Amino acid sequence: MSIKVYLKKKKDNPPPLRNRTSRPGGGRASHTHTCHSENQSDLLILRSQFFSFFNLAHAQFILKMAAVQGGMVDEKEEVDIKTEPQSDGLMNTNATDGRQLSPSPSSSSSAGSSKSAAGAPEDQQTLLAVLQFLRKNKLTESVEILRREAGLPEDALDTKGADCSAPSSGGTAGGVDGLDAGSLLSRVAVSSSAGTPAPTKAVADDQPDVSVVLSAYSQQGDPALYKVYYSDLKKFIESVLDCHRAELSQVFYPLFVHMYLELVYNNHESEAKAFFEKFSGDQECYYEDDLRVLSSLTKKEHMRGNETLLDFRTSKFVLRISRDSYQLLKRHLQERQNNQIWNIIQEHLYIDIFDGMPRSKSQIDAMSGSLAGEAKREANKAKVYYGLLKEPEIEVPLDDEDEEAENEEGKPKKKKPKKDSMGSKSKKQDPNAPLQNRIPLPELKDSDKLDKIMYMKESTKRIRLGRENLPSICFYTFLNAYQGLTAVDFTDDSSLIAGGFADSTVRVWSVTPKKLRKVKSAADLNLIDKESDDVLERIMDEKTASESKILYGHSGPVYGISFSPDRNYLLSCSEDGTVRLWSLLTFTCLVGYKGHNYPVWDTQFSPYGYYFVSGGHDRVARLWATDHYQPLRIFAGHLADVTCTRFHPNSNYVVTGSSDRTIRLWDVLTGNCVRIFTGHKGPIHTLAFSPNGKFLASGATDGRVLLWDIGHGLMVSELKGHTDTVYALRFSRDGELLASGSMDNTVRLWDAAKAFDDLETDDFTAATGHIHLQDNSQELLLGTYMSKSTPVVHLHFTRRNLLLAAGSYAA
């Protein structure tokens, strides 16, 4: 393998572009809850739930447990019981069971007047039916506990039981004796969606017929009417004023998904197929991937363990709608008594209502596209300390050549003001910065201070970039990389480059003439004079010098790598679920961090070292410290893979991008999510903070680059131009330019300073929670640099603002 270097200054004319598939993604495997019972005492745990016994999930759970006690059902049979928040018409959240049907507009007033367990006749029938079933399976202790909690007299069960033993007027047994556990449990099965139950048939007074009482829970609305309901709502929305149409059209996609899933769950396969074929074409183009997965769910058996279904069921789809538009929708559903759609809205949607003018179609499209809709406005109101930490006071000595140049020119103060200004700028306390000791950071070693001095010296020679002064680009092309290049990283001083490969290896190269050397053996180190000035050179073994080193240890493709700020360590993450820490002095693996259960897609060191973050297929990001085997924080909230991670420049925050098309900013100190950004139409693959820590850039498979204001939690610009996945982003050292690299074999330069300077502060106070985006991508695009056939995997600005790019040649 060899690395070929290209120096580019101006645009060239390459052959046609070639596409390349992006890194694999997906959701984690779903988990089901299995209920086991060893003895009757297990049922005692449920006594605190009997007060709200008529929640169907509780009844189903008790019947299931009772059947297990009686030996009629396999103990390992799985029961899916979970609690989901419900909301009323004003979107007030209430903690009720997900299976309980939400009140319709016509019945919401009467929903709050529910009696106790033994109050209503139908409730009493249900209770007595369950009591008889428990007694039939000889669970007398549980029967007594349930009876006392419900406030029933001791002879109530005997009286009703005598009535049940007689045949009903229809000539069939009305009690539970005539039912086996399998048939009884099959009647209790209920779908996760909320439909309108059909009326139950009449039974004899005070006759607790289990099959009749519980059959209503498994019945849904007429499947033939689903298309009518949806068509009626569609016709209504298309007839409203233009200012409301765009906002109300947001309900089409979540309603379509949940109505289709209801039909599939209740075994209405033909109706579900017809419903999908008729309305799937009406959905927005950025939901194509989700609809493709949804179309494969044609049978109830397909829904078990499906990741997409799990996402839809466990998260509420967030819609941001003006109050006037919401009132129109609510009034229409009440007048038509469309309970089927209203129940879905209440159970599976969260409507974030705001006061003010309705949003336009372009404003809505800019923020839409994620797996769970837009972010709630409350999610982005927390205080974020995005400022930079105060730099330590370090005196920067002048170089000999600088002093000579000053003496020759006769202007000894020519360079001093520039150096002093750089020093004073770094020493100022940013009012938006966190406290210096908000999180514990490692103390600077002598070697770190020397590196800081070198950095400041390099900064004085940095070229200031701008619209009229674009950077040169040095492209590192990996030739003959048959191992499959998957990740690249440069050290901060641009002296080393590392690559991760699909053959599970990590390879490190020296970019400078200085070769890579290992530390001498312990026996040889004892012979070294530790007081000598060049002790750091003497400890290195010249016999091991080479231009590159190969690190072996992973058992799967390496998807992410990151150098430590001091260049002594290297992190790598792999499909094998581990993150490994490598020493660049011995070129051996020091630690293998095992916390992820699935492939780890990305990892990155903190700007101050010591801490690092990782994200993977298990949908969580983890914060680690190099001297801890276990993670310090677990950032959970994404609905799909965490595909990329990045530390904020002040190291107090971590940002993660996901396949659920959202970006989340996490507080390292508390572990809380303080920002949620939506707007991408595909999985996010790269993130980059501006040097001042105020802005964030993101790139995804939709080919768009989005810019975000972290302090206000808003999107501020949209950069269009790439035709394939944006895989690399990097701000210049002065923050004036933004470079983006893509799988379309191009590097593009954008005027970041102009994009941020054009913002108006009045826009940030808008009641809608975002600003109107200008379509000025062509104005902000400064240059496009095309490679022959090399997708751009990584970008890096040197300390003097030379742009380095890297990728593997695709023949």
Side-chain angles (χ1 to χ4, degrees), residues 20 23-24 483-489 498-509 550-563 570-582 589 599-604 615 643 727 793:
R20 176 174 172 178
R23 177 171 50 187
Q483 301 87 351
L485 180 69
T486 52
V488 177
D489 193 30
F501 294 87
D503 66 350
S504 74
T505 62
V506 178
R507 298 166 189 253
V508 184
W509 287 268
I550 303 179
L551 308 178
Y552 297 97
H554 284 294
S555 58
V558 178
Y559 290 119
I561 53 178
S562 176
F563 282 104
L570 175 68
L571 283 172
S572 63
C573 61
S574 168
E575 186 187 46
D576 60 17
T578 65
V579 180
R580 289 182 177 267
L581 181 68
W582 307 86
C589 180
V600 186
W601 299 130
D602 195 21
T603 186
Q604 199 218 7
T643 51
Y727 211 82
V793 176

Side-chain angles (χ1 to χ4, degrees), residues 224-515:
L225 295 178
Y226 276 55
K227 289 195 293 185
V228 177
Y229 293 149
Y230 194 89
S231 299
D232 179 68
L233 180 63
K234 182 181 177 183
K235 184 183 296 184
F236 162 73
I237 293 178
E238 291 175 348
S239 66
V240 300
L241 296 176
D242 292 345
C243 60
H244 300 294
R245 186 182 307 149
E247 284 195 327
L248 294 181
S249 296
Q250 297 178 83
V251 304
F252 283 147
Y253 175 69
L255 285 178
F256 169 80
V257 170
H258 290 293
M259 294 178 78
Y260 174 77
L261 292 177
E262 278 192 11
L263 291 171
V264 173
Y265 187 89
N266 291 283
N267 297 316
H268 304 305
E269 297 177 13
S270 58
E271 290 85 354
K273 182 179 180 181
F275 183 82
F276 188 91
E277 291 177 351
K278 183 173 182 179
F279 299 113
S280 60
D282 299 336
Q283 311 308 318
E284 297 289 352
C285 59
Y286 40 77
Y287 292 122
E288 286 182 0
D289 292 339
D290 296 335
L291 293 175
R292 192 177 301 112
V293 175
L294 199 65
S295 64
S296 63
L297 301 175
T298 57
K299 297 181 181 294
K300 185 177 179 179
E301 293 76 15
H302 298 165
M303 301 175 71
R304 178 177 291 275
N306 185 274
E307 298 164 352
T308 303
L309 176 61
L310 180 65
D311 295 333
F312 285 128
R313 291 185 59 188
T314 57
S315 61
K316 285 199 170 188
F317 198 91
V318 179
L319 304 177
R320 192 176 299 175
I321 297 179
S322 65
R323 189 172 300 279
D324 292 341
S325 299
Y326 173 72
Q327 293 297 337
L328 279 176
L329 175 64
K330 185 177 179 181
R331 190 179 304 114
H332 169 75
L333 295 178
Q334 287 177 336
E335 291 175 355
R336 295 301 182 94
Q337 295 187 353
N338 197 335
N339 299 339
Q340 194 75 26
I341 290 181
W342 181 258
N343 288 335
I344 292 177
I345 289 177
Q346 286 197 310
E347 185 172 358
H348 297 290
L349 274 62
Y350 180 96
I351 300 182
D352 190 0
I353 303 173
F354 65 88
D355 294 315
M357 293 293 294
R359 295 184 298 167
S360 65
K361 174 67 173 174
S362 60
Q363 290 174 320
I364 294 173
D365 286 344
M367 305 300 294
S368 302
S370 77
L371 203 60
E374 297 187 42
K376 301 176 185 178
R377 285 177 297 165
E378 290 75 11
N380 292 337
K381 290 184 177 180
K383 173 69 174 176
V384 173
Y385 301 98
Y386 56 82
L388 303 182
L389 297 177
K390 184 179 179 181
E391 292 287 346
E393 297 183 4
I394 302 176
E395 294 183 3
V396 183
L398 292 175
D399 290 337
D400 294 338
E401 58 183 32
D402 291 339
E403 293 177 352
E404 292 176 2
E406 289 169 1
N407 294 330
E408 290 174 2
E409 295 174 4
K411 298 178 182 179
K413 295 184 179 180
K414 182 178 181 180
K415 292 188 177 182
K416 282 187 177 180
K418 190 173 183 181
K419 293 190 175 187
D420 291 340
S421 64
M422 288 296 298
S424 61
K425 182 178 179 181
S426 63
K427 295 174 184 177
K428 287 183 180 180
Q429 179 64 43
D430 192 329
N432 295 307
L435 296 176
Q436 200 77 13
N437 59 351
R438 187 171 183 265
I439 62 172
L441 294 174
E443 295 182 2
L444 288 179
K445 303 187 294 289
D446 291 340
S447 59
D448 296 330
K449 293 179 180 179
L450 291 175
D451 191 63
K452 284 282 184 183
I453 293 174
M454 291 300 300
Y455 175 79
M456 292 179 182
K457 287 182 178 180
E458 291 287 326
S459 298
T460 62
K461 303 174 183 178
R462 177 185 302 159
I463 298 175
R464 186 169 182 84
L465 302 178
R467 181 174 288 271
E468 304 300 330
N469 192 20
L470 300 182
S472 296
I473 303 176
C474 177
F475 203 113
Y476 289 85
T477 300
F478 289 74
L479 298 176
N480 305 321
Y482 304 116
Q483 301 87 351
L485 180 69
T486 52
V488 177
D489 193 30
F490 289 90
T491 54
D492 185 70
D493 66 349
S494 309
S495 62
L496 301 177
I497 180 175
F501 294 87
D503 66 350
S504 74
T505 62
V506 178
R507 298 166 189 253
V508 184
W509 287 268
S510 174
V511 182
T512 64
K514 189 176 181 180
K515 293 185 177 182

Side-chain angles (χ1 to χ4, degrees), residues 9-11 464-471 473 719-722 732 734-740 747-755 776-785 797 803:
K9 186 67 179 178
K10 294 185 179 180
K11 182 175 179 181
R464 186 169 182 84
L465 302 178
R467 181 174 288 271
E468 304 300 330
N469 192 20
L470 300 182
I473 303 176
L719 307 179
K720 300 178 182 178
H722 286 292
S732 62
D734 51 19
E736 295 291 323
L737 300 184
L738 172 66
S740 61
V747 175
R748 295 175 186 260
L749 296 177
W750 310 87
D751 192 344
K754 178 177 174 55
N776 58 350
S777 296
Q778 293 305 315
E779 298 177 14
L780 300 177
L781 180 62
L782 302 180
T784 301
Y785 302 86
F797 275 97
L803 179 58

Side-chain angles (χ1 to χ4, degrees), residues 122-140:
E122 59 272 15
D123 293 345
Q124 190 176 22
Q125 291 177 358
T126 305
L127 177 61
L128 294 174
V130 175
L131 285 173
Q132 281 211 19
F133 188 85
L134 295 176
R135 189 172 71 170
K136 180 179 184 296
N137 286 275
K138 297 183 174 62
L139 300 174
T140 55

